[in-house]
Amino acid sequence: MKRSEQGFTLIELLVAMAILALVSVMAVQSLSGALFQRRVMTRVDDDATQLSRALALLRHDLEAIVPLAQRDGAGDALPAVATSTDGFSLMRGGIWALPGEVSDGFARVDWVLETDGSLTRQLRPNGASDDAASPPVVQLDDVSGLTLAPLGGDMPEIEKPDLMPMGFAVNFTHARYGAIRLVVAR
């Protein structure tokens, strides 16, 4: 009786290895594409989260404006809301003191557009020196053209800090999202 040998020929093994190599290359390319998309989506999500946080903080600050004259570090009076070429400052109520600190519940909040395009926020207790101010915190990157405009009235004056407009509009341009306008009615 003749015995038959069973197995694969060398050609069959080479064809199987070529198919396995092709499938492996396609899987690696698919995985690298998915990882790239994940990095892109994470970056976009981080940018959107930063923008959302900055807009929420701006809105809260503008809603909490109190009609009191601000005091700078030298004790000089400033209007409740003041604009400058690089940002604006406002008198905000509802500021809680940390344990061990004294606060009258009011603070001056400075929103400044830095030369590198970052939008910073700094809190200063009313009338306190610059040493008592919190460090400026970057709220948003890639910003240009920050402005604050009154709606339904004029900006407050030192002599009449209680005369406030009906609202405010903050305008700026973000490198990724374009022109942004935040309107807050009081």
Side-chain angles (χ1 to χ4, degrees), residues 19 21 26 36 68 92-94 105 107 144 159 161 168 175:
I19 292 172
M26 289 173 26
F36 175 75
L68 292 173
R92 186 189 196 289
S144 61
E159 299 82 25
F168 293 95

Side-chain angles (χ1 to χ4, degrees), residues 47 63 68 91 118 141 177:
D47 288 350
E63 288 173 345
L68 292 173
M91 178 58 80
S118 61
D141 293 314
Y177 299 107

Side-chain angles (χ1 to χ4, degrees), residues 113-119 138 141-143:
L113 180 58
E114 304 292 342
T115 56
D116 65 355
S118 61
L119 181 61
V138 174
D141 293 314
D142 302 325
V143 176

Side-chain angles (χ1 to χ4, degrees), residues 64-71 76-82 89-92 106 126 154-166 168 186:
I65 291 176
V66 291
L68 292 173
Q70 304 178 60
R71 299 277 174 201
D76 297 329
L78 301 169
V81 180
S89 65
L90 54 92
M91 178 58 80
R92 186 189 196 289
F106 303 107
N126 192 30
D154 296 325
M155 291 295 259
E157 300 173 7
I158 296 172
E159 299 82 25
K160 304 177 204 169
D162 56 337
L163 294 178
M164 299 290 281
M166 297 182 66
F168 293 95
R186 296 190 23 85

Side-chain angles (χ1 to χ4, degrees), residues 15-180:
V15 169
M17 288 175 58
I19 292 172
L20 180 63
L22 182 64
V23 170
S24 298
V25 167
M26 289 173 26
V28 166
Q29 285 180 342
S30 176
L31 182 61
S32 67
L35 292 174
F36 175 75
Q37 286 294 4
R38 180 174 175 235
R39 283 192 302 270
V40 169
M41 294 305 291
T42 300
R43 189 182 77 239
V44 168
D45 186 48
D46 290 346
D47 288 350
T49 300
Q50 185 186 40
L51 177 64
S52 177
R53 242 182 300 168
L55 289 175
L57 198 51
L58 264 167
R59 178 177 299 282
H60 287 297
D61 283 349
L62 292 170
E63 288 173 345
I65 291 176
V66 291
L68 292 173
Q70 304 178 60
R71 299 277 174 201
D72 63 13
D76 297 329
L78 301 169
V81 180
T83 60
S84 66
T85 57
D86 61 349
F88 57 90
S89 65
L90 54 92
M91 178 58 80
R92 186 189 196 289
I95 302 295
W96 293 91
L98 294 173
E101 292 183 2
V102 178
S103 173
D104 60 359
F106 303 107
R108 185 174 116 201
V109 180
D110 297 327
W111 284 88
V112 177
L113 180 58
E114 304 292 342
T115 56
D116 65 355
S118 61
L119 181 61
T120 63
R121 179 180 184 262
Q122 186 174 28
L123 208 64
R124 300 171 187 269
N126 192 30
S129 68
D130 289 342
D131 296 340
S134 68
V137 177
V138 174
Q139 300 298 327
L140 192 58
D141 293 314
D142 302 325
V143 176
S144 61
L146 176 69
T147 61
L148 175 72
L151 299 173
D154 296 325
M155 291 295 259
E157 300 173 7
I158 296 172
E159 299 82 25
K160 304 177 204 169
D162 56 337
L163 294 178
M164 299 290 281
M166 297 182 66
F168 293 95
V170 177
N171 298 296
F172 61 88
T173 303
H174 189 269
R176 177 179 296 271
Y177 299 107
I180 295 178

